[in-house]
């Protein structure tokens, strides 16, 4: 009996490893990494480049990571370097990344096992926030339908505009319209133009639909599902706290971002200074939306004032809604940190938001995600400042853009050394997965304490 027990005990480390590998956070990271590596392998082939030459591992990895993490930062010009196959692969990687890793994992599990384990259900619920465990299958279907519907509408608008107003042939208009529709809704920022969307700076029929698609993707699927439910059940008027926080903070950030960027660049001759009032308002709105992690630009970002870059840094770091295609720490995290600070300033023992008491676990998750994200961005900024010749404005903008999976740049991405490219690649990956996996891990890891130590209060301030 002792021999049998000892032999059984020898498998415990292996069983422990298998249990850890089945943790939702590991599944999320592993799934994303697998897609990135697969995309890298295809992009390295000679058929993926226009010149028919193989692409180096560093550039292929950077491009694949930027596409899967729906960032939009590039080291090789998308329009001139990649072949038709390369562009299709980039578009497919954007779609996979934007679809959301939780939805992707849910589909795989449904196909293989036709049911969810408790851990996967809880993880899926964490990603989809207000949705119950029994609705996961409908979540996956809803995510797909919303994505395809918005992309189809935007593609139709872009195709018609490019063909009827800009003189594109119908096949070329279809190619450009579909690609930019996928890129816009998924907040990717990849463009088939060397100047992004600068050539359409005075065309509201291009800029406004793209901006609206970016907002739609950045709201998050729980918001869209709740809107759909209210449309079906008009008598139900109770909105969830998640919906109210996301919608309210989004409107506030869009208004503040548009106003600040427009006013700060109003007289800058290199950006908005030479435009008419209508043109200033149009491009100011467009650039107020893009830091939600889209990455398109209709103005030269490198010519913006340092104050504008700082405002854009803040907007990029915050990002968009949870369980959507946007990156950043998410608007809910930003709002929750603000609510916690307001309660502390007022000396209240608990945090109350819109008629509800805020869960302590949610407060801890928001503070952990925000502070760890700030620390990561600062460390990467310090490393790049120490290894490159670029200014603080440029480097901070680049690192925040990478972490927030935005894709905006002052033009230094391609000029970074190999260490810089690898660091930005890692930051894009962490920025896309970090807030999700960290929040999920914190939600699943709740441990009780059997005893408390004596209390002592240090001096603060």
């Amino acid at each position: 009996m002792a021999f049998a027990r000892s032999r059984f005990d020898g498998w415990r480390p292996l069983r422990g490893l298998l249990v850890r590998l089945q943790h939702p956070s590991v599944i999320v990271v592993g799934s994303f990494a697998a897609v990135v590596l697969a995309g890298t392998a295809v992009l390295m082939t000679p058929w993926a480049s226009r010149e028919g030459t193989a692409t180096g591992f560093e550039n292929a990895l950077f491009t694949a990571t930027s596409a899967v993490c729906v960032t939009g930062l590039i080291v090789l010009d998308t329009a001139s370097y990649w072949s038709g196959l390369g562009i299709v692969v980039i578009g497919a990687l954007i779609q996979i990344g934007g679809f959301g890793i939780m939805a992707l994992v849910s589909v795989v599990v449904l196909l293989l096992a036709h049911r969810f384990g408790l851990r996967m259900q809880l993880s899926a619920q964490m990603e989809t926030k207000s949705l119950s465990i029994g609705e996961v299958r409908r979540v996956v279907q809803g995510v797909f339908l919303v994505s395809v519907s918005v992309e189809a509408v935007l593609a139709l608008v872009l195709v018609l505009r490019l063909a009827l107003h800009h003189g594109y042939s119908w096949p070329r208009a279809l190619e450009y319209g579909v690609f930019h529709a996928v890129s816009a809704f998924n907040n990717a920022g990849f463009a088939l133009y060397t100047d992004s969307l600068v050539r359409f700076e005075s065309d509201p029929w291009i800029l406004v639909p793209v901006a609206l698609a970016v907002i739609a993707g950045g709201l998050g699927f729980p918001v869209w599902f709740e809107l759909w439910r209210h449309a079906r059940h008009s008598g139900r008027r109770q909105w969830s706290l998640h919906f109210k926080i996301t919608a309210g903070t989004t409107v506030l950030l869009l208004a503040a971002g548009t106003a600040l960027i427009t006013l700060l660049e109003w007289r800058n001759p290199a950006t908005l200074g030479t435009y008419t009032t209508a043109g200033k308002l149009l491009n100011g709105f467009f650039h107020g939306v893009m830091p939600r992690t889209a990455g398109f630009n209709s103005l030269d970002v490198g010519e913006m004032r340092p104050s504008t870059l700082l405002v854009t840094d803040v907007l990029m770091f915050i990002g968009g809604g949870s369980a959507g295609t946007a990156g950043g720490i998410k608007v809910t995290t930003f709002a929750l940190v603000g609510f916690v600070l307001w309660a502390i300033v007022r000396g209240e023992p608990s945090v109350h938001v819109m008629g509800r008491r805020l869960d302590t676990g949610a407060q801890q998750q928001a503070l952990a995600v925000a502070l760890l994200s700030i620390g990561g961005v600062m460390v990467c900024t310090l490393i790049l400042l120490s290894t490159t010749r670029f200014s603080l404005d440029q480097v901070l903008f680049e690192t925040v853009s990478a972490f927030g999976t935005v894709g905006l740049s002052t033009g230094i991405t391609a000029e970074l050394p190999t260490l810089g490219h690898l660091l930005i690649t890692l930051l894009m990956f962490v920025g896309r997965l970090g807030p999700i996996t960290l929040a999920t891990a914190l939600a699943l890891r709740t441990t009780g304490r059997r005893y408390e130590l004596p209390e002592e209060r240090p001096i603060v301030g």
Side-chain angles (χ1 to χ4, degrees), residues 234-302:
S234 56
R236 180 187 175 189
R237 299 183 179 181
Q238 186 66 32
W239 299 95
S240 70
L241 182 61
H242 173 78
F243 177 92
K244 289 187 284 188
I245 291 177
T246 301
T249 310
T250 296
V251 172
L252 176 63
L253 292 175
L254 287 176
T258 298
L260 287 173
I261 292 175
T262 303
L263 291 175
L264 292 172
E265 295 297 316
W266 190 270
R267 297 185 182 278
N268 185 353
T271 54
L272 293 179
T274 59
Y275 287 70
T276 63
T277 300
K280 291 178 179 179
L281 295 176
L282 172 63
N283 287 275
F285 167 71
F286 188 77
H287 276 267
V289 172
M290 290 307 111
R292 291 184 58 78
T293 78
F296 293 111
N297 63 282
S298 61
L299 303 173
D300 188 350
V301 176

Side-chain angles (χ1 to χ4, degrees), residues 62 65-74 94 183 186-190 293-296 325 398 400-408 424-425 427-429 431-432:
F62 190 99
T65 305
S66 183
V68 174
C69 297
V70 290
T71 305
L73 290 174
I74 58 173
I94 291 172
S183 183
N186 290 292
N187 282 215
F190 277 88
T293 78
F296 293 111
T325 57
E398 196 80 7
V400 174
S401 179
F403 172 79
T405 66
V406 181
L408 291 173
I424 293 297
T425 300
L427 199 55
M428 288 189 292
F429 193 83
R432 177 60 180 166

Side-chain angles (χ1 to χ4, degrees), residues 42-43 45 47-48 82-90:
V42 178
L43 292 177
T45 63
W47 303 284
W82 299 108
S83 66
L85 173 63
I87 291 174
V88 169
V89 171
I90 291 173

Side-chain angles (χ1 to χ4, degrees), residues 44 86 105 122 277 281 292 307 313 325 377 446 458:
M44 289 178 66
V105 172
L122 291 174
T277 300
L281 295 176
R292 291 184 58 78
S307 54
D313 286 337
T325 57
V377 169
T446 55

Side-chain angles (χ1 to χ4, degrees), residues 58-60 62-63 72-77 82 413-416 421:
E58 176 187 331
N59 292 333
F62 190 99
T63 303
L73 290 174
I74 58 173
V75 290
L76 299 171
D77 182 57
W82 299 108
T413 308
E415 300 178 37
L416 292 174
H421 286 161

Side-chain angles (χ1 to χ4, degrees), residues 174-188:
L174 181 64
E175 174 190 351
Y176 278 62
V178 170
F179 183 89
H180 290 98
V182 171
S183 183
F185 177 73
N186 290 292
N187 282 215

